[in-house]
Amino acid sequence: MQEIKIELTKNKKAKPADQSKLGFGNYYTDHMFVMNYDEGEGWHDARIVPYANLALDPAAMCLHYGQEVFEGLKAYRTPDGGIALFRPEKNMARMNLSNERLCIPQLDEAFAVEAIKKLVEVDEDWIPTAEGTSLYIRPFIIAVDPHVGVHPAHHLLFIIILSPVGAYYPEGLNPVKIYVESKYVRAVKGGMGFAKTGGNYAASLKAQDEADKAGYTQVLWLDGVERKYIEEVGTMNVFFVIDNEVITPALQGSILGGITRMSCIELLRSWGYKVTERRLSVEEVAVAAKEGRLNEAFGSGTAAVISPIGELKWDDDIMKINNGEIGPISQKLYDGLTAIQWGKAEDKFGWVNRIK
Ligand SMILES: *Cc1c(COP(=O)(O)O)cnc(C)c1O
């Protein structure tokens, strides 16, 4: 395994004083991890350096053609003063899936996990300690060849930055209102919907903006061909509880395979729930809502963990779910997952990767 050189900062930044006002993505720590890729040399020069601006040629390919991938995971401070990561190997495996789709060279996954652990350790005193807070970890890769011709890059950077983030729900888990998007689409089969890449987000901004103006928190994407089958919600995967069956759209190429999604499925099955991954039409959900069989709906993702859905708007059909309140399965999943993540419950599945 490569050695990671460490250069510590001489100018430590002041840490945010009030952990109840961290929000998401507002602060960055003192250091970052950087590693270069150059064709013929492979990935090299792994280093932890003071957090600083990047110097890029204005012709750098990532700025023009979007050849980039990213990941998102968190480090948690455990009650015994330790530090825990949640399934980081899964993030790095997914990053390689994204890399493959975007013609980015594969990373050594075990080494990338070590890089994350080392960086978090260096900036350990940035991990917030207040209830519900954590250190968000953002690994990403960008193509930096100074070349405005279109081709897969020969020169790239793998960077990891860290951001202390607040409790997603300072006032408890409030159900959100979701807008079912029937005009714009996010991804299609054969596209890059399954990859975690900026282009998918650029494609989603317009719909998100319109939903926001209409008073909705996020959009629910439908399939790009028929606008009929449910895919996912903004930055989250989505689950519906109908007649006591927990249903989530099957991964078929246009949906991001969430690690929270995977963990929800495994946890629910271990509790004896029937969980089905299949095609689910928005029509089926609407009919179930009318007949009083739609018990719950929720999103799943690293940032919010579980986000209960209290209302769905599909054209003129407004579906109220569970009276706009959080349902028992959503609550149980949130409690179960966060207890494992913060080291407050036994880690029966071996999901926790401790830094210390
Ligand atoms: C990251 C992401 C998710 C959630 O994945 P997790 O691994 O659970 O955080 C869902 N949908 C999209 C589009 C994403 O980018």
Side-chain angles (χ1 to χ4, degrees):
M1 225 179 245
Q2 277 194 62
E3 186 204 343
I4 301 176
K5 288 210 183 78
I6 301 179
E7 179 199 338
L8 295 178
T9 181
K10 291 181 183 73
N11 300 301
K12 283 197 158 209
K13 294 183 261 194
K15 296 191 181 58
D18 187 350
Q19 289 194 3
S20 71
K21 296 205 174 72
L22 287 171
F24 190 85
N26 298 319
Y27 302 96
Y28 295 91
T29 66
D30 285 320
H31 299 89
M32 61 184 186
F33 174 90
V34 185
M35 178 164 73
N36 294 64
Y37 179 91
D38 293 294
E39 203 164 82
E41 254 185 292
W43 290 107
H44 64 93
D45 268 310
R47 56 206 185 265
I48 288 171
V49 293
Y51 189 99
N53 289 347
L54 301 173
L56 288 183
D57 192 297
M61 290 179 58
C62 62
L63 303 176
H64 302 271
Y65 307 120
Q67 195 188 6
E68 80 94 43
V69 297
F70 70 96
E71 269 303 325
L73 66 161
K74 287 171 169 175
Y76 307 87
R77 183 64 80 177
T78 59
D80 59 3
I83 308 167
L85 300 176
F86 186 72
R87 313 188 81 175
E89 330 65 48
K90 297 284 179 200
N91 291 89
M92 291 306 110
R94 182 170 69 191
M95 191 167 222
N96 267 342
L97 263 184
S98 304
N99 286 340
E100 205 279 328
R101 179 65 181 80
L102 278 109
C103 292
I104 292 175
Q106 295 284 295
L107 284 171
D108 175 338
E109 292 167 23
F111 178 70
V113 170
E114 282 314 305
I116 290 172
K117 292 173 95 165
K118 197 61 176 167
L119 180 65
V120 171
E121 215 182 339
V122 167
D123 277 341
E124 159 177 16
D125 50 355
W126 281 87
I127 307 173
T129 48
E131 178 78 21
T133 61
S134 54
L135 186 69
Y136 186 76
I137 304 167
R138 167 54 59 88
F140 62 104
I141 300 176
I142 52 175
V144 299
D145 302 34
H147 195 244
V148 290
V150 180
H151 62 77
H154 307 301
H155 307 279
L156 301 102
L157 289 175
F158 173 54
I159 302 174
I160 308 171
I161 54 175
L162 307 173
S163 173
V165 297
Y168 212 82
Y169 302 106
E171 287 112 39
L173 279 86
N174 283 326
V176 293
K177 288 164 69 180
I178 301 285
Y179 185 96
V180 181
E181 181 55 66
S182 36
K183 183 163 71 173
Y184 303 109
V185 300
R186 172 186 172 272
V188 290
K189 270 186 216 174
M192 40 182 213
F194 67 90
K196 221 168 165 72
T197 178
N200 289 329
Y201 281 83
S204 77
L205 293 174
K206 181 80 176 152
Q208 176 63 42
D209 189 48
E210 288 181 15
D212 189 57
K213 285 182 178 132
Y216 290 82
T217 314
Q218 294 216 346
V219 300
L220 177 75
W221 297 106
L222 300 178
D223 74 276
V225 178
E226 296 179 79
R227 312 276 207 283
K228 194 170 159 189
Y229 297 101
I230 291 172
E231 300 232 304
E232 58 181 308
V233 173
T235 56
M236 293 183 288
N237 294 111
V238 67
F239 291 76
F240 293 86
V241 185
I242 300 177
D243 291 333
N244 296 314
E245 176 189 3
V246 186
I247 307 162
T248 191
L251 302 177
Q252 27 62 344
S254 55
I255 300 173
L256 200 286
I259 291 152
T260 320
R261 173 189 182 277
M262 176 194 296
S263 307
C264 284
I265 295 172
E266 292 169 40
L267 207 50
L268 284 167
R269 287 191 177 142
S270 80
W271 289 334
Y273 288 94
K274 182 179 176 205
V275 187
T276 317
E277 296 176 72
R278 64 168 168 90
R279 279 222 298 199
L280 175 66
S281 68
V282 60
E283 176 87 47
E284 182 181 343
V285 171
V287 168
K290 272 199 192 72
E291 296 175 355
R293 295 181 295 111
L294 174 61
N295 312 122
E296 289 182 45
F298 57 89
S300 73
T302 295
V305 189
I306 297 295
S307 184
I309 299 172
E311 182 184 315
L312 269 184
K313 175 180 158 59
W314 179 39
D315 297 333
D316 297 327
D317 194 350
I318 306 235
M319 305 168 225
K320 273 266 176 220
I321 305 171
N322 198 39
N323 288 319
E325 286 162 25
I326 182 166
I329 295 180
S330 313
Q331 184 73 56
K332 194 172 169 184
L333 268 177
Y334 180 81
D335 294 342
L337 278 171
T338 53
I340 296 172
Q341 291 169 336
W342 270 281
K344 293 174 184 168
E346 189 196 337
D347 174 29
K348 284 185 200 144
F349 301 90
W351 286 343
V352 174
N353 189 324
R354 300 272 302 220
I355 298 178
K356 64 178 237 188

